[in-house]
Amino acid sequence: MNKYELALVLNPTLDEEAKAAEVAKVQALLERFDSKIEKVDDWGKRKLAYEIKKVNEGFFSFTTFEAPATAPAEIESRIRIMENVLRYLIVRKEA
């Protein structure tokens, strides 16, 4: 099991319920691939460094989790098709 960090940038037009539902959907996806979520850090709405899809703000969320080595590729393939996710990044943390 390796440690990873998932950074998500969600669409800023979402209301609180929709944003919480998107984050819960991603967490359920992580658990589906035998991941153990250690920490969820919600930064709220922040200004983006550059425009993405004509949007210059987004909701930032960071999740630290432990997962098998094959899980990140599977998780990324499913997050890629989520409509309200502007950007995502999974990085492996050093032990």
Side-chain angles (χ1 to χ4, degrees):
M1 297 280 263
N2 299 319
K3 287 189 182 252
Y4 297 96
E5 184 174 51
L6 166 65
L8 275 179
V9 180
L10 299 173
N11 195 333
T13 59
L14 297 174
D15 61 356
E16 281 299 315
E17 289 179 14
K19 182 180 71 144
E22 286 293 319
V23 171
K25 195 185 304 182
V26 170
Q27 289 176 355
L29 183 65
L30 291 173
E31 290 170 354
R32 183 172 150 203
F33 290 101
D34 301 325
S35 302
K36 188 178 106 184
I37 296 173
E38 294 176 355
K39 180 180 165 189
V40 178
D41 193 12
D42 186 22
W43 283 18
K45 190 185 275 190
R46 299 284 175 113
K47 188 164 174 53
L48 300 175
Y50 56 90
E51 212 172 79
I52 301 171
K53 298 181 185 176
K54 298 185 181 179
V55 175
N56 60 4
E57 286 184 326
F59 288 111
F60 284 72
S61 176
F62 296 90
T63 306
T64 305
F65 63 98
E66 237 179 72
T70 57
E74 294 291 329
I75 293 165
E76 282 183 354
S77 69
R78 285 166 177 77
I79 290 177
R80 183 176 293 126
I81 60 174
M82 295 174 88
E83 284 183 26
N84 290 316
V85 176
L86 295 178
R87 286 286 187 271
Y88 64 90
L89 178 67
I90 298 178
V91 292
R92 183 172 174 213
K93 296 179 83 174
E94 292 298 318

